């Protein structure tokens, strides 16, 4: 407590060290009852020492939570008391009520505090009677009492009058609430109470649980073993059920209502009591707002725009000098895609003098000014970035760079550079045009006299930002930069920056080791997050949000149910970090650490190691789900489901997808939706439902933004899929045209990794159209792209295509094809998906069959084994075309070796697949409609 | 004649009734108006004319002692009488027939116990003992009693609120002190309204309470009801006006056509920055209320807002002469004097209001203006702060204080001040402009653009705003010249007095290589400067460009004209002009020879 208090008093800046509220007076009164002066060891209402101690612990927990955002009303206090006090509870609450309502004049208050002073032991030296209970002035309770007494003494007469009126309303409010639902409440309450007693857990009320956690976290002594008892889960939920039935108005089964409900419950509290004493401390509101900001960033869809806005407006009315509210309004507007409101609120927030630091009286003016404007610009830039206004974002960020240089604000400069890097890597910029038009922006940094390409500029920027972050010890920025560097390395070949002078001989390849190094360094760096100068603020903020968790549990126990419903989504961190305890690691750090795993998954996807993709995605989904934003989490899920689709076929993938969809229902335009389209398209292509495939392609195109240079990934994928659909429909020239223009776009926007797959597609098109000679150069080009970017799996697939191309040139090339296939085989069998494996198997068989020196009768299994394998896998995928091919080959082989029964079976299967391919039965596809 | 007499009768009754209900400011307003009515012709009512003249004489003489230019003292009035609105005098209502509203009778409670109670309560109220007044009226059922009781309670609540606001001021700048009486008063008044047992004064009070509670639409309805049944309560009108924040609301009001409505509309137009319309209405009203100071002050304000400073100054001087202890709208006068840089007049004004009442926000603002004009910005800020302490919602003080902070190079404070002004009234384009300017000063032109956009959206015909925006676009970091050209064009089209836009347009076009268009704008700029008889470097620049341009276009004669004009200037330009002229001559003479050569070859 002392820590909290000390912090509080410092932050409050002397203005009311300790707000005296009716609740605190009630607690003081209870303390007085707990330790009445001049009494024997066990004072009157208590029947045993243990009983007495129960009250003491209860008081202690009350004090611990004395700085909660919202203080409980008297009614709740009395209910809690009943749970603790046992037989004496009636007497206690009666006494409390009476004496509180007896406070009717200022003099009564003065007398009350005079009497309180008697509870405290005299300072050392005074003679003590043995059997007297006296509070040690330095004990927790003693300090609390002294704080209250001091606060009272500091009050002016007006303050005393105010306190008196608030006490009056405190008692009356509870009276009203007390009488209304009387019998219901009491009955249930006592039932609950009895039940708890039966379970030998007389302390196990929910409220107490909360304080118990609190207590446990602080004390190390094991003297109060009762507090360490946790109610078993089942009991817990039973308690909740009872509570829920008591409060029918709290019945909500909408999972998304969690935060909104918290808001509205706070709202009610605000409304019910617009006198002072409900806004606890500025610090707590800050904490509350921070928490809301986190929520909104994580999952905006659970907030309804309007209700949150009205709530914020109300808060603003109550605390007009708390400009942080505007920041929340900005975030609210931003995540609900309201550009105008976001812009207005952003400017409004930063216009106020204490836009960044909120206590102008404490900080010197220079402190306030530091960083305010460049931060404003940085925010403006990221906002434009969010809305996809890349040009405006650049202007704003450039200005931010300029202003922070001007003001020597290095941290902000670092962050701004990082933001620019982010922008550069997110949006597609044609390499032909100079993006960053003005010479002021970045050119100064290089000073090389030669215009750098965008990518080179990005690299330079990243390095600079990294260096800055390192020198400033901004750990999270450092980690972010390392991640960005890894991302860059993954996709770009390093070229020497100097276009003149002695050139170091560089291999034109990406370097997986450097990526690995960056990724490792990134999470390594995060270990020292404590030394990050900027994390301090969030830490404090998090500390004062613990009360909110408290309220959540205390006032709305049904929330537990909700969170349990969602617990599959979030991980079980709660078990380790108690409800009342702030997470030891700030959320942003966790998020960054998680991002490194996601990036690892992506990089392995590129390098073609499916198991590692799966592991990393799994790690992310299980360990970082709490801190992750929904979009990132859905990305991890998407990767997992994709993995399923490739390795286990569509039925399983769609089952998983359905589950994921339910979870991410709220996220619009999400990865999951994208994934669904991808899966649908793949399946349609395999099954030969070309119309469906085309439709899905169109849907894909709609998802991407129409702005040039935005959503590049989506756009490339859309046209890639379009080309593949055309290919499947045997419209070779059109498919080639689409693929060709796609190649041009990729080249223009420097998307080299995508180029590899486009080239491979072109090779496939030529292969299918029967122009094997034309296809070979494309396959070779793709191969070399794959090699330079270390895209192993794609390389294997390109090799396979190459082999197929050679094969189709005639049996004289079978040998060459065979070596090629065998070269690719290890990686295909190790990491490839069903389709690739099947293709490889068929290719192996074909190589053998077209080899003139090979005779089937000698060893039919050499051909038959791969073919059966391929057929099995293709049946899982429902890839009719290839399956038919496999069965056809099998039938021929069986025919040759004279196994007629098997031949017939294979032929029947062949027939089945051919029919399925030619007459795609448009079965009702439930998934296709939900697009 | 008779109409004037009816105005008088109506107003006299209203003054009595308003005063009786302790609605002092409305009574004051009506009383000011009643003496503002032009006296009838001398024979019919000599007494009123005499009173008017007796009122005017001492003040004129005192003014003549104080003011140096007393000779043209009544010129304004004369002017108005002769040319200003003669037709208005003839037909004061210009075809509009007003709905005559019967003057309601007071409750007959003058005698008896109830009447005494009322008198007691009113005395308490006059001594600002509001709760006592309300207590004295407990249990009385007359409408007048009920009104005064509720009004007293409301005032008591307000007083307590003000006190609490100071007592409870916390670290959050908390202002959640509310008038504790609002809820109960609202309950009572809404019940009375439902039963129909409420008079127009009660409705007025109900309207205020509703506004305080944030039910603005209902408040508007109730206030409209109040002014329709009793139009002479100016306080009700001005509350209504403060609720009309947009023209849509104003146009949707269902108001009876009483002559008080004209006052209301005029003042509402003034607030909504429709100054011309306001001026028209006021001049109309001048036909009847010729000597009303209120109308004159409003007219002067409108002139000031239309940047017709001289006209406004004449009226303000006149006003001060007739009413030397006036503080209302003198802050506008001080702004005017500030703009005209009249040091001594401003100091005189400041001194006078200081002696009259130094704790009026207007007084503080005037003094602050004076200090600002003297360049003592710290002191100026001090007085603005005082003005704002007296009235937190004093819009112009926030903006002006922002200007002071800008002068003091304290940009964060300036931004803060401007932002507060904007938050009080988001339509205040000056504060938006100030914000933009401040950010531009700090080297954040891109950020500033947002604010300039806001201000030019609110005041689309103000060239200064467009020029400011253009300068941002033109600034070195942004270099968005096309956008800058668009803004300058806009500015040039909306009466750019300083002529910056034309010059810049010409310059930008020449930078971008559009020499034809650049020449066009240079010519226009030249014409403008000629018309305003201005000289300066811009002129030389324009001439130089035109000479070169014409030469390049081979329009030698035109080039020569410009060149000779350049010769009028001293300095290096003269030399350049000479050499250019020489070049022209040779080019001209060389032209035919070249032709000959051409033919020869």
């Amino acid at each position: 407590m002392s820590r909290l208090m000390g912090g509080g008093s410092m932050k409050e800046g002397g203005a009311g060290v300790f707000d005296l509220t009716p609740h605190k007076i009630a607690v003081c009164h209870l303390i007085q009852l707990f330790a009445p002066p001049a009494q024997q060891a066990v004072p009157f209402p208590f029947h045993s020492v243990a009983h007495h101690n129960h009250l003491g612990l209860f008081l202690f927990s009350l004090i611990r939570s004395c700085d909660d955002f919202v203080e409980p009303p008297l009614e709740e206090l009395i209910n809690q008391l009943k749970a603790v006090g046992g037989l004496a509870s009636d007497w206690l609450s009666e006494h409390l009520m009476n004496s509180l309502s007896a406070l009717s004049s200022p003099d009564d208050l003065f007398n009350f505090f005079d009497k309180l002073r008697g509870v405290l032991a005299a300072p050392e030296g005074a003679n003590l009677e043995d059997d007297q209970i006296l509070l040690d002035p330095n004990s927790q309770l003693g300090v609390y009492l002294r704080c209250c007494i001091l606060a009272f003494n500091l009050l002016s007469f007006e303050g005393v009058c105010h306190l008196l009126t608030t006490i009056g309303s405190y008692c009356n409010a509870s009276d009203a609430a007390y009488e209304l639902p009387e019998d219901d409440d009491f009955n249930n309450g006592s039932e609950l109470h009895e039940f708890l007693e039966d379970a030998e857990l007389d302390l196990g009320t929910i409220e107490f649980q909360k304080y118990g956690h609190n207590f446990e976290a602080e004390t190390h002594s094991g003297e109060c073993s009762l507090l360490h008892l946790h109610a078993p889960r089942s009991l817990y939920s039973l308690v909740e059920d009872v509570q829920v039935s008591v409060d029918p108005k709290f019945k909500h089964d909408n999972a998304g209502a969690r935060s909104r409900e918290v808001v509205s419950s706070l709202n009610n509290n605000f409304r019910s009591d617009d006198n002072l004493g409900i806004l606890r401390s500025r610090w707590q509101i800050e904490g509350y707002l921070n928490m809301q900001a986190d929520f909104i960033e994580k999952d905006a869809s659970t907030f309804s725009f309007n209700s949150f806005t009205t709530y914020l407006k109300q808060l603003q009315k109550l605390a007009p000098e708390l400009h942080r509210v505007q920041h929340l309004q900005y975030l609210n507007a931003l995540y609900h895609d309201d550009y105008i409101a976001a812009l207005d609120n952003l400017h409004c927030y930063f216009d106020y003098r204490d836009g960044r630091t909120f206590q102008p009286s404490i900080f010197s003016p220079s402190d306030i000014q530091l960083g305010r404007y460049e931060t404003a610009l940085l925010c403006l830039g990221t906002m434009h970035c969010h809305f996809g206004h890349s040009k405006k974002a650049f202007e704003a960020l450039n200005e931010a760079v300029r202003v922070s240089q001007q003001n020597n604000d290095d941290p902000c400069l670092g962050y701004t550079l990082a933001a620019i890097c982010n922008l550069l890597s997110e949006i597609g910029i044609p390499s032909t045009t100079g993006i960053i038009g003005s010479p002021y922006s970045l050119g100064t940094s290089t000073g090389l006299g030669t215009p750098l390409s965008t990518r080179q500029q990005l690299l330079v920027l990243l390095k600079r930002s990294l260096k800055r972050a390192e020198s400033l010890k901004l750990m999270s920025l450092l980690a972010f930069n390392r991640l960005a560097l890894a991302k860059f390395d993954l996709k770009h070949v390093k070229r020497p920056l100097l276009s003149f002078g002695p050139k170091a001989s560089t291999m034109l390849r990406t370097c997986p080791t450097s990526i690995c190094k960056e990724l490792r360094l990134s999470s390594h760096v995060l270990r020292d997050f404590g030394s990050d100068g900027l994390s301090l603020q969030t830490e404090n903020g998090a500390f004062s949000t613990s009360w909110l968790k408290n309220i959540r549990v205390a006032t709305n126990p049904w929330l537990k149910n909700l969170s349990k419903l969602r617990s599959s989504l979030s991980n079980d961190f709660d078990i380790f970090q108690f409800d009342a305890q702030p997470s030891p690691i700030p959320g942003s750090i966790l998020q960054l650490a998680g991002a490194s795993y996601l990036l690892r998954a992506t990089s392995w996807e590129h390098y073609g190691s499916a198991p590692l993709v799966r592991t990393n995605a799994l790690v992310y989904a299980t360990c970082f789900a709490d801190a992750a934003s929904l979009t990132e989490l859905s990305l991890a899920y998407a990767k997992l489901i994709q993995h399923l689709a490739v390795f286990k076929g569509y039925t399983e993938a769609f089952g998983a997808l359905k589950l994921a969809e339910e979870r991410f229902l709220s996220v619009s335009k999400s990865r999951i939706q994208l994934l669904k389209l991808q899966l649908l398209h793949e399946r349609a292509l395999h099954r030969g439902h070309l119309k469906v495939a085309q439709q899905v392609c169109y849907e894909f195109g709609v998802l991407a933004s129409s702005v040039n240079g935005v959503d590049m990934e989506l756009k490339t994928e859309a046209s890639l899929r379009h080309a593949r659909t055309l290919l499947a429909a045997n419209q070779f020239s059109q498919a080639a045209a689409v693929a060709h223009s796609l190649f041009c776009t990729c080249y223009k926007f420097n998307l080299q990794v995508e180029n590899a797959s486009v080239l491979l597609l072109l090779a496939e098109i030529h292969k299918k159209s029967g122009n094997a000679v034309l296809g070979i150069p494309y396959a070779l080009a793709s191969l070399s792209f794959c090699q330079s970017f270390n895209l192993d799996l794609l390389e294997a697939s390109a090799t396979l295509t190459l082999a197929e191309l050679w094969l189709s040139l005639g049996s004289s090339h079978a040998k060459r094809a065979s070596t090629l296939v065998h070269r690719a085989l290890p990686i295909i069998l190790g990491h490839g998906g069903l389709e690739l494996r099947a293709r490889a198997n068929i290719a192996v068989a074909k190589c053998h069959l077209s080899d003139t020196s090979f005779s089937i009768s000698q060893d039919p299994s050499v051909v038959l084994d791969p073919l059966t394998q391929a057929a099995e896998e293709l049946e899982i995928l429902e890839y009719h075309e290839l399956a038919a091919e496999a069965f056809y080959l099998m039938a021929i082989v069986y025919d040759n070796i004279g196994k007629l029964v098997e031949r017939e079976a294979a032929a029947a299967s062949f027939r089945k697949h051919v029919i399925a391919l030619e007459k795609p039965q448009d079965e009702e596809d439930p998934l296709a409609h939900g697009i | 004649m008779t109409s004037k007499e009816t105005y008088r009768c109506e107003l006299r009754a209203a003054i009595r009734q308003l005063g009786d209900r302790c609605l002092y400011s409305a009574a004051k307003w009506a009383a000011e108006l009643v003496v503002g009515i032009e006296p009838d012709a001398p024979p019919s009512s000599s007494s009123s004319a005499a009173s008017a003249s007796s009122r005017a004489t001492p003040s004129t003489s005192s003014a003549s002692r104080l003011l140096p230019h007393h000779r043209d003292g009544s010129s304004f009035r004369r002017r108005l009488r002769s040319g200003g609105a003669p037709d208005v005098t003839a037909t004061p209502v210009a075809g509009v027939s007003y709905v005559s509203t019967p003057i309601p009778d007071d409750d007959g409670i003058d005698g008896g116990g109830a009447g005494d109670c009322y008198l007691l309560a009113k005395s308490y109220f006059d001594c600002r003992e509001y709760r006592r007044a309300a207590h004295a009226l407990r249990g009385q059922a007359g409408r007048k009693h009920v009104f005064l009781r509720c009004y007293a309670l409301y005032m008591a609540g307000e007083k307590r609120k003000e006190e609490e606001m100071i007592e409870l001021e916390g670290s959050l700048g908390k202002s959640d002190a509310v008038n504790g009486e609002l809820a109960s008063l609202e309950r009572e008044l809404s019940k009375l309204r439902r039963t129909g047992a409420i008079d127009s004064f009660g409705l007025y009070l109900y309207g205020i309470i509703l506004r305080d509670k944030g039910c603005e639409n209902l408040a508007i309805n109730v206030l409209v009801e109040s002014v329709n049944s009793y139009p002479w309560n100016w306080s009700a009108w001005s509350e209504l006006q403060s609720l009309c924040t947009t023209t849509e609301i104003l146009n949707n009001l269902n108001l009876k056509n009483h002559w008080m409505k004209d006052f209301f509309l005029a003042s509402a137009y003034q607030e909504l920055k429709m100054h011309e319309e306001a001026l028209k209405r006021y001049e109309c009203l001048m036909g009847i209320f010729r000597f009303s100071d209120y109308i004159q002050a409003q007219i002067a304000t409108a002139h000031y807002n239309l940047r017709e400073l001289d006209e406004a100054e004449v009226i303000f001087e006149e006003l001060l002469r007739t009413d030397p202890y006036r503080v209302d709208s003198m802050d506008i006068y001080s702004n005017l004097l500030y703009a005209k840089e009249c040091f001594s007049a401003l100091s005189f004004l400041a001194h006078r209001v200081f002696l009259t009442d130094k704790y009026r926000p207007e007084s503080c603002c005037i003094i602050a203006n004076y200090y600002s004009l003297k360049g003592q910005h710290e002191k100026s800020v001090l007085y603005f702060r005082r003005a704002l302490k007296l009235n937190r919602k004093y819009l112009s003080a926030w903006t002006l204080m922002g200007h002071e902070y800008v002068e003091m190079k304290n940009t964060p404070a300036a931004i803060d001040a401007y932002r507060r002004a904007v938050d009080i009234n988001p339509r205040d384009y000056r504060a938006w402009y100030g914000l933009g300017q401040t950010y531009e000063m700090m080297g954040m032109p891109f950020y500033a653009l947002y604010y300039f956009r806001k201000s030019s959206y609110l005041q689309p015909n103000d060239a200064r705003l467009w020029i400011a925006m253009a300068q941002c676009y033109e600034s070195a970091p942004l270099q968005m010249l096309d956008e800058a050209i668009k803004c300058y064009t806009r500015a040039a089209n909306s009466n750019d007095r300083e002529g910056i836009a034309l010059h810049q347009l010409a310059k930008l076009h020449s930078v971008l290589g559009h020499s034809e268009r650049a020449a066009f704008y240079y010519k226009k700029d030249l014409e403008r400067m000629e018309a305003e008889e201005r000289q300066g470097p811009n002129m030389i620049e324009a001439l130089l460009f035109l000479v070169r341009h014409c030469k390049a276009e081979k329009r030698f004669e035109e080039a020569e004209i410009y060149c000779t004009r350049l010769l009028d200037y001293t300095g290096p330009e003269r030399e350049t002009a000479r050499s250019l002229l020489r070049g022209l001559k040779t080019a001209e003479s060389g032209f035919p020879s070249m032709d000959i050569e051409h033919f020869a070859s």
Side-chain angles (χ1 to χ4, degrees), chain A residues 466-718:
Chain A
L466 186 71
K467 221 180 277 169
R468 207 171 283 275
E470 220 156 2
S471 62
L472 293 170
K473 302 234 180 312
L474 298 172
M475 291 308 160
S476 42
L477 185 60
L478 200 58
F480 172 83
N481 275 326
R482 295 223 175 264
L483 281 185
L485 260 180
K487 227 189 276 181
F488 183 87
D489 284 346
L490 188 63
K491 287 206 153 188
H492 301 284
V493 172
K494 269 188 197 160
R495 288 216 174 84
L497 281 175
L498 286 169
S499 52
F500 55 90
K503 277 182 193 166
S505 61
T506 43
M507 289 229 293
L508 289 179
R509 288 173 71 101
T510 56
C511 183
T513 44
S514 73
I515 295 164
C516 204
K517 202 178 80 190
E518 297 291 357
L519 282 171
R520 277 180 177 282
L521 274 174
S522 155
S523 38
H524 183 72
V525 149
L526 284 175
R527 238 172 264 165
D528 313 329
F529 70 87
S531 58
D532 190 337
L534 289 186
S535 69
L536 188 77
Q537 206 176 356
T538 49
E539 215 182 318
N540 285 338
F543 195 70
S544 44
T545 49
S546 58
W547 48 265
L548 200 88
K549 290 185 180 169
N550 281 345
I551 314 177
R552 257 215 334 260
V553 182
T555 61
N556 301 340
W558 51 270
L559 280 173
K560 271 274 171 188
N561 278 334
L562 292 184
S563 52
K564 233 188 292 170
L565 282 179
R566 292 163 65 120
S567 66
S568 38
L569 178 80
S570 62
N571 56 30
D572 286 341
F573 250 29
D574 284 348
I575 295 172
F576 305 112
Q577 48 172 69
F578 304 112
D579 291 317
Q581 203 61 9
S583 154
I585 307 163
S588 58
I589 303 282
L590 269 181
Q591 218 169 345
L592 265 177
S596 105
Y597 279 93
L598 261 190
L599 193 57
R600 265 174 229 202
T602 315
S603 65
W604 284 119
E605 198 172 62
H606 274 284
Y607 296 144
S609 171
L612 281 169
V613 175
R614 190 160 152 265
T615 335
N616 279 310
L618 265 178
V619 165
Y620 185 80
T622 45
C623 294
F624 297 98
D626 254 6
S629 69
L630 274 194
T631 37
E632 286 188 337
L633 195 61
S634 64
L635 180 65
Y637 273 71
K639 286 205 189 307
L640 286 173
I641 293 172
Q642 244 164 355
H643 185 265
L644 262 186
V646 173
F647 286 91
K648 296 269 164 71
Y650 295 111
T651 20
E652 293 213 17
F654 275 112
L657 180 68
K658 211 166 184 183
L659 286 178
E661 261 183 325
E662 277 165 21
R663 261 169 227 169
F664 298 101
L665 198 61
S666 47
V667 190
S668 63
K669 199 188 168 184
S670 68
R671 296 269 176 186
I672 298 293
Q673 201 184 350
L674 203 62
L675 174 73
K676 187 173 164 186
L677 288 179
Q678 285 167 340
L679 290 183
L680 279 175
H681 185 248
E682 295 282 340
R683 191 174 67 171
L685 279 189
H686 285 170
R687 283 185 175 176
H689 299 171
L690 294 181
K691 281 217 175 100
V692 180
Q694 189 57 38
Q695 194 193 337
V696 175
C697 266
Y698 291 141
E699 303 259 359
F700 244 106
V702 171
L703 277 186
S705 151
S706 57
V707 182
N708 203 17
V710 182
D711 285 346
M712 283 315 291
E713 269 179 44
L714 205 57
K715 282 177 187 163
T716 12
E717 190 172 344

Side-chain angles (χ1 to χ4, degrees), chain A residues 823-854:
Chain A
R823 207 171 70 196
L825 218 45
I827 190 146
I828 289 179
L829 292 181
H831 296 280
L834 293 175
E835 185 191 343
L836 197 58
R837 283 209 299 250
R839 266 180 61 201
N841 276 326
I842 292 175
V844 167
K846 270 183 166 174
C847 285
H848 284 302
L849 288 177
S850 49
D851 191 353
T852 43
S853 62
F854 177 78

Side-chain angles (χ1 to χ4, degrees), chain A residues 282 344 351-353 399, chain B residues 167 171 416 423 439 446 450:
Chain A
R282 164 170 225 143
D344 284 347
D351 276 343
Y352 279 110
R353 189 193 303 238
E399 202 158 286
Chain B
E167 285 167 19
S171 53
D416 199 86
D423 280 353
Y439 278 114
F446 182 76
Y450 166 81

Side-chain angles (χ1 to χ4, degrees), chain B residues 502-516:
Chain B
L502 282 176
H503 181 70
Q504 288 296 330
L505 270 176
K507 231 173 162 169
L508 283 180
H509 277 302
S510 76
V511 165
L512 290 174
H514 312 146
S515 51
E516 200 53 53

Side-chain angles (χ1 to χ4, degrees), chain A residues 3 116 180 203 226 395 436 449 534 576 592 696 721 775 786:
Chain A
R3 189 176 148 199
L116 267 191
L180 216 70
L203 291 182
L226 260 180
E395 292 292 353
I436 310 166
L534 289 186
F576 305 112
L592 265 177
V696 175
R721 284 183 186 274
C786 290

